[in-house]
Amino acid sequence: MLLDPREWTQLELIQFGVTEPATTALFERLLGSGDIAIDVGSHVGTLSLLAAHSVGAQGHVYAIDPQPHNCHLVLTNSAASGFGNITTICAAVGQEDGFITLQHQSDQDRARLSLANIGPNDQPYPFVVPLVSVDDLAIRYEMPRIRLLKIDVEGYELAVLEGCKASLSRVDNVIVEVLPESGAAFAAQLARILSAAGFKFSSVTGEAWSPGQALTENNLWASR
């Protein structure tokens, strides 16, 4: 992978090879040949590349990130790895389709661009990207079954889930970030949406979870 040591998350990848080992291991367990995975908030493509390797030429990965710099690295790293089974989508994901204005980030931190909150490194230089829903993507790319939907969008996860209610019946597994600072009401609403769609809850290491409990690596695993 081409990685930029100026950014702290990429520096961790250079130093340790992985930033979320339990979540990474779960990705490897869940995905197999021919599967479809959607990586919402793909950053520079670490998990998208792992997914592309796991699903093989018969499967496909959709790597989605609103930060153009991150998408450039996903494309660069896909090409360096010879993965033609990754579609990189430079867009934000939410409840409906449209456009959204975001703020440029510093070179030290392009991993925490947020549609829900003021980003810790927002700069006064706006840019506009498309806003898409998972429901629209599932129709546009004719996804019959989605083996894994991963959502890591810095507090905007509820809007992403609201935009995939029609396609959740096609999803086998969801890995979604639940930050402690998002609060109890956020976790409870997230659980209600996923529970209504027939999912049960665990941490990424397999322990049963209910709203209010801590999560390994702040990631919830919802499965059928």
Side-chain angles (χ1 to χ4, degrees), residues 157-209:
E157 288 79 10
L158 285 177
V160 176
L161 286 173
E162 290 289 346
C164 66
K165 283 185 174 180
S167 50
L168 271 178
S169 61
R170 305 185 217 175
V171 178
D172 295 325
N173 297 276
V174 179
I175 297 176
V176 55
E177 184 178 56
V178 185
L179 294 172
E181 55 265 34
S182 293
F186 173 96
Q189 178 62 13
L190 186 147
R192 280 193 290 270
I193 293 172
L194 290 171
S195 179
F199 289 94
K200 59 184 181 181
F201 308 122
S202 307
S203 72
V204 291
T205 48
E207 297 85 6
W209 176 85

Side-chain angles (χ1 to χ4, degrees), residues 43-222:
H43 189 227
V44 297
T46 309
L47 291 174
S48 290
L49 291 167
L50 176 68
H53 174 75
S54 297
V55 305
Q58 302 304 312
H60 208 88
V61 178
Y62 298 88
I64 313 167
D65 201 277
Q67 174 55 259
H69 178 77
N70 291 348
C71 289
H72 166 71
L73 287 176
V74 174
L75 281 168
T76 300
N77 291 323
S78 298
S81 301
F83 288 141
N85 60 346
I86 299 178
T87 295
T88 303
I89 302 171
C90 189
V93 180
Q95 189 170 352
E96 56 191 7
D97 295 350
F99 291 89
I100 192 164
T101 300
L102 300 171
Q103 301 302 127
H104 186 53
Q105 262 77 63
S106 71
D107 293 341
Q108 287 73 39
D109 188 359
R110 290 191 175 100
R112 291 185 288 172
L113 179 63
S114 176
L115 281 70
N117 308 300
I118 296 174
N121 290 290
D122 280 0
Q123 297 184 351
Y125 312 113
F127 63 97
V128 177
V129 297
L131 180 67
V132 300
S133 67
V134 173
D135 282 343
D136 181 69
L137 293 173
I139 294 170
R140 183 181 301 271
Y141 293 104
E142 299 179 344
M143 303 178 193
R145 197 76 196 166
I146 301 164
R147 177 61 177 164
L148 175 58
L149 169 63
K150 170 254 180 180
I151 309 171
D152 180 352
V153 288
E154 304 302 309
Y156 203 62
E157 288 79 10
L158 285 177
V160 176
L161 286 173
E162 290 289 346
C164 66
K165 283 185 174 180
S167 50
L168 271 178
S169 61
R170 305 185 217 175
V171 178
D172 295 325
N173 297 276
V174 179
I175 297 176
V176 55
E177 184 178 56
V178 185
L179 294 172
E181 55 265 34
S182 293
F186 173 96
Q189 178 62 13
L190 186 147
R192 280 193 290 270
I193 293 172
L194 290 171
S195 179
F199 289 94
K200 59 184 181 181
F201 308 122
S202 307
S203 72
V204 291
T205 48
E207 297 85 6
W209 176 85
S210 59
Q213 294 180 309
L215 284 163
T216 302
E217 299 172 355
N218 293 326
N219 287 325
L220 170 66
W221 173 26

